Amino acid sequence: IRKIGVLTSGGDSPGMNAAVRSVVRTCAYHKIDCVGVYRGYEGLIDGDFEPMDARSVRDIINRGGTMLKSARSDRFRTTEGRKIAFDNLKENKIDGLVVIGGDGTFTGGLVFNQEFGFPVIGIPGTIDNDISGTDKTLGYDTALNTAVEAIDKIRDTASSHNRLFFVEVMGRDVGHIALNAGVGAGAEEILIPEENLGLDRLLESLLRSKASGKTSSIVVVAEGDKTGKNVFELKDYVDENLEGYDVRVAVLGHMQRGGSPSCYDRVLASRMGVKAVESLLEGESNYMVGIQHEKMKLYPLEKAIKGKTHINKELVRVSEIMTT
Ligand code: F6P
């Protein structure tokens, strides 16, 4: 391998820049060329490439988002699109790819490899922590801290006005952000897709907490929770079924995806970038770089895509004890 391309794709996450920086600097360390590909797989098809050296990535370790930009590419889902991408890589003498992103990004990389035999290594970058084969995805730690900080602020208003707040956090299919930020911010109830406790249980819990003398409450709701009601419908439901609650809703939304990465995410990104480039140099392909029990590991892309992450049952129990 003489020249490696790096791209970020799908939803951005804090730490992606630090990972790009690490990939570029590891290439420089091993004296091979590195090319940044803009706008994910879209840029691969458009030939939107830029040679990068150690200086091109200065001052980005602390920045959220991705300097390489990101996109979701429909064209890359087609054989024609992927063929153009392959020809562009050949023409530019790029012979390995590091793709930073989530599920969709890895699926694209895997299909591309299966079609053209092109070496691909993935770095898991998503705030949702929904990729198996790694204890943490890049950006998850930062997003948790952002969510906790926001909920702390909402709590000030909740307690000043004796209100109940439903706070929606991200997590399309998983409740890792909701569970951890909920425990961290001392939420009264946490609704996650993995454990649908039902609406009756929510009402009971709110009644219990009122009876115990609580005057304000925070309920953290994962975007993908399975009660069948979104946060606004939950508010209406409580308004209709419980007396004496002044209910408000806050949707944290994309603020959770932005911001300067935590130290943990910067360090993780640096480690993942080194492992990704060195794996390509050792002839590996079709793996994702993961962190398992503090060690950097390679995990098959195919398993990462198909695998499910599991909610931490011990933490679910902790949250139940904390809310009694
Ligand atoms: O990055 C994953 C995620 O944060 C999900 O939790 C959320 O549903 C989604 O991104 C929203 O993505 P967008 O609105 O940018 O398409």
Side-chain angles (χ1 to χ4, degrees), residues 114-320:
Q114 285 162 350
E115 244 166 15
F116 302 103
F118 200 88
V120 175
I121 294 282
I123 292 181
T126 163
I127 63 164
D128 289 349
N129 206 33
D130 60 349
I131 307 266
S132 67
T134 187
D135 297 340
K136 300 259 165 40
T137 55
L138 259 191
Y140 172 61
D141 181 72
T142 307
L144 280 184
N145 287 308
T146 304
V148 163
E149 201 183 322
I151 299 168
D152 284 350
K153 289 178 178 165
I154 290 167
R155 180 181 289 285
D156 289 346
T157 300
S159 64
S160 301
H161 289 265
N162 290 346
R163 280 178 181 165
L164 162 63
F165 267 87
F166 284 103
V167 182
E168 185 192 275
V169 298
M170 275 190 169
R172 202 171 13 199
D173 308 307
V174 292
H176 302 297
I177 295 181
L179 181 60
N180 284 270
V183 170
E188 274 63 49
E189 197 60 61
I190 303 166
L191 305 181
I192 52 176
E194 294 86 348
E195 308 257 317
N196 182 11
L197 303 170
L199 293 168
D200 293 345
R201 151 80 202 257
L202 174 66
L203 291 187
E204 268 168 39
S205 153
L206 292 174
L207 278 173
R208 225 188 16 251
S209 83
K210 203 168 186 102
S212 76
K214 267 190 194 155
T215 51
S216 66
S217 292
I218 304 274
V219 176
V220 173
V221 185
E223 191 181 22
D225 99 291
K226 296 281 191 294
T227 52
K229 294 193 187 294
N230 65 35
V231 270
F232 298 99
E233 292 163 344
L234 284 171
K235 170 187 165 18
D236 293 344
Y237 185 78
V238 169
D239 281 342
E240 282 159 23
N241 291 283
L242 278 187
E243 297 265 296
Y245 267 103
D246 186 11
V247 191
R248 294 289 190 280
V249 168
V251 176
L252 300 190
H254 288 83
M255 66 171 290
Q256 295 161 96
R257 287 230 302 248
S260 181
S262 64
C263 180
Y264 181 89
D265 277 329
R266 298 180 196 193
V267 173
L268 182 62
S270 304
R271 296 175 75 183
M272 285 179 162
V274 170
K275 182 76 177 171
V277 170
E278 293 189 340
S279 299
L280 279 173
L281 293 181
E282 283 158 14
E284 302 292 0
S285 178
N286 285 358
Y287 285 104
M288 174 195 84
V289 174
I291 184 163
Q292 296 172 6
H293 307 295
E294 273 315 306
K295 294 225 158 42
M296 304 315 293
K297 300 271 182 192
L298 290 182
Y299 190 76
L301 273 184
E302 192 156 9
K303 281 171 81 179
I305 294 160
K306 293 198 179 134
K308 266 195 158 295
T309 54
H310 299 286
I311 203 75
N312 183 340
K313 297 275 183 196
E314 177 259 344
L315 191 54
V316 171
R317 186 164 171 269
V318 168
S319 79
E320 284 163 5

Side-chain angles (χ1 to χ4, degrees), residues 4 22-34 277:
I4 287 177
S22 172
V23 168
V24 171
R25 294 207 166 163
T26 307
C27 286
Y29 177 85
H30 287 288
K31 304 202 169 16
I32 59 169
D33 292 331
C34 191
V277 170

